[in-house]
Every structure is written in structure tokens, then in C-alpha cells.
């Protein structure tokens, strides 16, 4: 997952039929079938790759491999994912793929509602030839443990970021964390990301810069997936992902701090 992780609707329109490209729609089946989808996209609903394994909300490795294979995705496939919620569910699909070693990953900028405004849609289910998918775990992982997160709250040049809504943060957050609601970087009108400089400015306003070690958490590692993808797009080199998130933190009886973020 590199700085080309975010792709425009125009790019998807040109490349969606290319050999080796699979467009993945992570909405529910009724939306995919009933409302329509990007022509040629396969449907891998969020529920089918969410949880059930031993590592946070990741699916078991063999189930993940079978799921991708049955949708015609091989280890070298270029994956483009989308949803209808500004990309947050699709981002979780992409981060799951990354954690299981897939490399060529992209998020449609905007979502299906935005796509529908100017692009062809379809209700036809594509013929898919199943392939074998083999997981190869990456040598380096952005995952951090609960103890690493606790240490990060005290470390210099490190910022722990809560990507939930301000009300949730105010109720209780990891001590020392700043609050940056993942939706802050989304343009409500285009449904895609705000301009790059604006996004960088929003992050910088919270102390998140390319020089900082950034540790992300939310409740169950869904919303941080979007922020993680955006930080990869910006090329920030040191971003950690707390898969256990607040669910694990609370279950472990770790301390919480209440109150709003002082930066608003
Ligand atoms: O997005 S979430 O994991 O905090 S529910």
C-alpha cells in the first residue's frame, strides 16, 4: 500500500476491466444487487471478512485466503475497494489485505453514491473464475500491542490518535491521546477526500506530521483503517495500527481519561 493507494473514479473507470484488476464492493448484498454496483465489481460484504479470528477483528487466515480466491483475487491482483460510506468499510478490507501481505491495494476516492453521479452502474453479477490465494505474511507489520500503545503515550515524537467522534472521545479515551475524527478529512460534498494540502493541515493541527510516530486506535479498528490509508497516501512513514483498539484496552482494565480534546 503506497502513495498511489487513493484512486479517482476516472482511474477506476479506465482500469476496471484491465486484466489483473479486481474491483471489490464491500456493501451488503442487497445494496450490490438492488442498487447496483460498479460494472464488473465483485461483492465481498463487510460481515464476511470481519472478526472471528484470534487477532483483533481480523478473520482467520485460511478463511481470508478462501474468500479472496473465490472472488478471483490472486496474490498479484490489483485490488480497488469501495463502499458507500466515504471508504471507511472499504479501507478495513484493504488494511486486512495489507496485514495478510497483499501489496497492490487501492481505495476509490469517494464512494458508490459519488460514483453513481457520473459513471456507469450495473446489476449484473460478473462471472468469476476462482483462483488459489495464498497468504504471505509481510516481513514488517504496522500492528502494535497494548503495551506498545501504553508506552507510546509516554514516548517523545509519538502521538496516539483516537479517530472516533468527539463525544465518544470525551466519554473516555486512552490517556494522552488526541482526537481526530476520521471524517474530518472527508469532503461531504464530493464524498471523497479533501484536497491534499487541507488534509495535511488537518493532521498537522493535531500534531500529526511526517516526523511523528503515529499510533491509531478507535473502538474495533474500523475507523482507524480509513485514517491509516489516508496517512499512507500522504506518505507518512511511521504509522502504527492498534488492532485491539479501545475494546481490548478496556477489557484489560487499562486507564481511561475523560474530557474533550483541548484543541477542539
Ligand atoms: O469504527 S469502530 O471500530 O470504532 S466501531
Amino acid at each position: 500500500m503506497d502513495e498511489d493507494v487513493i484512486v479517482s473514479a476516472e482511474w477506476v473507470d479506465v482500469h476496471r476491466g484491465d486484466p489483473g484488476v479486481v474491483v471489490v464492493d464491500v456493501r451488503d448484498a442487497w445494496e450490490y444487487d438492488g442498487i447496483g454496483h460498479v460494472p464488473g465489481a465483485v461483492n465481498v460484504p463487510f460481515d464476511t471478512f470481519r472478526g472471528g479470528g484470534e487477532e483483533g477483528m481480523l478473520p482467520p487466515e485460511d478463511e481470508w485466503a478462501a474468500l479472496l480466491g473465490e472472488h478471483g483475487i490472486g496474490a498479484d491482483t490489483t485490488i480497488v475497494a469501495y463502499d458507500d460510506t466515504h471508504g471507511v468499510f472499504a479501507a478495513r478490507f484493504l488494511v486486512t489485505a495489507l496485514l495478510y501481505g497483499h501489496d497492490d491495494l487501492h481505495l476509490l476516492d469517494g464512494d458508490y453514491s459519488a460514483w453513481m453521479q457520473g459513471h456507469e452502474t450495473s446489476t449484473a453479477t460478473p462471472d468469476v473464475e476462482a483462483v488459489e490465494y495464498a497468504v504471505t505474511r509481510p516481513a514488517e507489520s504496522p500492528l502494535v500491542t497494548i503495551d506498545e500503545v501504553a508506552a507510546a503515550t509516554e514516548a517523545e515524537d509519538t502521538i496516539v490518535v483516537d479517530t472516533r467522534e468527539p463525544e465518544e472521545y470525551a466519554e473516555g479515551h486512552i490517556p494522552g491521546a488526541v482526537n481526530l475524527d476520521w471524517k474530518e478529512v472527508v469532503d461531504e460534498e464530493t464524498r471523497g477526500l479533501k484536497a491534499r494540502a487541507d488534509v495535511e493541515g488537518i493532521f498537522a493541527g493535531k500534531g500529526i506530521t511526517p516526523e511523528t510516530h503515529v499510533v491509531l486506535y478507535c473502538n474495533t479498528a474500523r475507523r482507524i483503517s480509513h485514517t491509516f490509508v489516508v496517512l499512507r497516501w500522504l506518505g507518512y512513514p511511521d504509522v502504527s495500527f492498534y488492532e485491539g483498539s479501545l475494546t481490548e484496552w478496556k477489557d484489560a482494565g487499562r486507564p481511561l481519561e475523560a474530557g474533550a480534546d483541548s484543541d477542539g
Side-chain angles (χ1 to χ4, degrees), residues 82 113 229 257:
Y82 73 89
S113 290
V229 167
E257 192 171 73

Side-chain angles (χ1 to χ4, degrees), residues 50 164 168 218-224:
R50 182 75 167 154
R164 299 172 304 150
E168 297 172 275
C218 55
N219 279 339
T220 56
R222 181 181 57 98
R223 287 175 279 189
I224 53 172

Side-chain angles (χ1 to χ4, degrees), residues 130-154:
V131 298
E132 275 297 313
Y133 188 94
V135 166
T136 311
R137 295 273 190 150
E140 284 182 18
S141 165
L143 294 180
V144 278
T145 65
I146 190 168
D147 289 330
E148 286 169 325
V149 176
T153 63
E154 310 281 337

Side-chain angles (χ1 to χ4, degrees), residues 66-197:
L67 187 67
L68 265 54
E70 86 195 32
H71 286 94
I73 298 171
D76 296 331
T77 297
T78 299
I79 298 176
V80 183
Y82 73 89
D83 58 28
D84 204 12
T85 322
H86 308 297
V88 68
F89 292 90
R92 178 65 200 182
F93 180 87
L94 296 172
V95 170
T96 303
L98 176 84
L99 295 174
Y100 278 141
H102 203 98
D103 201 37
D104 195 354
L105 297 164
H106 306 275
L107 178 69
L108 170 66
D109 189 22
D111 52 20
Y112 189 65
S113 290
W115 171 272
M116 282 168 74
Q117 298 305 316
H119 299 91
E120 190 186 337
T121 64
S122 169
T123 51
T125 307
D127 287 334
V128 171
E129 203 174 313
V131 298
E132 275 297 313
Y133 188 94
V135 166
T136 311
R137 295 273 190 150
E140 284 182 18
S141 165
L143 294 180
V144 278
T145 65
I146 190 168
D147 289 330
E148 286 169 325
V149 176
T153 63
E154 310 281 337
E156 265 182 44
D157 301 328
T158 297
I159 189 157
V160 178
V161 183
D162 183 323
T163 66
R164 299 172 304 150
E165 293 180 13
E167 299 72 33
E168 297 172 275
Y169 173 92
E171 250 175 52
H173 53 264
I174 294 180
V178 300
N179 182 214
L180 180 69
D181 185 338
W182 72 276
K183 277 199 301 300
E184 287 283 315
V185 301
V186 170
D187 182 326
E188 282 296 334
E189 212 171 299
T190 66
R191 304 185 65 83
L193 291 174
K194 291 177 178 168
R196 187 185 187 98

Side-chain angles (χ1 to χ4, degrees), residues 25-53:
D25 181 323
V26 305
R27 295 174 303 155
D28 289 342
W30 71 265
E31 296 173 275
Y32 175 87
D33 292 328
I35 304 174
H37 49 263
V38 172
V42 296
N43 186 212
V44 187
F46 186 65
D47 289 358
T48 62
F49 60 87
R50 182 75 167 154

Side-chain angles (χ1 to χ4, degrees), residues 245-260:
S245 271
L246 214 56
T247 306
E248 180 188 61
W249 185 268
K250 282 183 182 167
D251 285 352
R254 298 293 176 114
L256 289 175
E257 192 171 73

